[in-house]
Amino acid sequence: MQFCDECGSMMHADGDTWVCRSCGYEELRDSASEGAMTTTEGQEDDDVVDMSEVEDTEIGPTTDARCPNPDCDGERARYEMKQIRAADESETRFFTCVECGKKWREDDN
């Protein structure tokens, strides 16, 4: 993967040139440095994981949370917490309703 020296965006290969789609910066490709790059070319991710027979307790923690889907009366949700903002701010909580699968998030404001 190559990143733009001007704006930091990911660059895309266009023949023998790297092109930034954000700012238009161009740079010649270097086959020696590209040999060390990891690509997703030729990788397949078609494996479907069957979770139908997995116990809820094995999937992750749940908590009391009212589902925001108006068509669902679910009051339990799986949750996960991630630090997606600045380190001095609280984590964001991501929920998935165990009844309907609706996903939502909560931030401390």
Side-chain angles (χ1 to χ4, degrees):
M1 200 177 307
Q2 183 74 15
F3 293 95
C4 178
D5 289 337
E6 298 295 316
C7 71
S9 296
M10 186 173 71
M11 297 183 77
H12 300 271
D14 186 10
D16 61 349
T17 308
W18 287 108
V19 178
C20 177
R21 293 183 183 162
S22 296
C23 72
Y25 176 76
E26 294 186 7
E27 181 178 305
L28 286 176
R29 292 176 64 180
D30 177 14
S31 59
S33 65
E34 289 180 28
M37 291 183 184
T38 302
T39 68
T40 58
E41 204 168 284
Q43 295 180 4
E44 301 279 331
D45 192 19
D46 294 334
D47 295 335
V48 176
V49 178
D50 181 9
M51 299 291 286
S52 61
E53 295 183 23
V54 177
E55 298 285 328
D56 281 345
T57 56
E58 296 176 31
I59 295 174
T62 60
T63 188
D64 292 330
R66 184 145 186 84
C67 180
N69 180 354
D71 298 327
C72 179
D73 293 327
E75 295 190 9
R76 299 281 310 155
R78 287 185 196 82
Y79 69 93
E80 180 178 5
M81 298 177 77
K82 292 184 181 179
Q83 186 71 40
I84 61 171
R85 297 179 289 164
D88 63 341
E89 296 186 42
S90 63
E91 294 177 314
T92 301
R93 293 171 302 280
F94 293 89
F95 296 93
T96 304
C97 177
V98 297
E99 296 294 323
C100 71
K102 166 92 174 151
K103 296 177 187 249
W104 72 98
R105 64 187 258 179
E106 289 182 1
D107 296 309
D108 288 338
N109 292 334

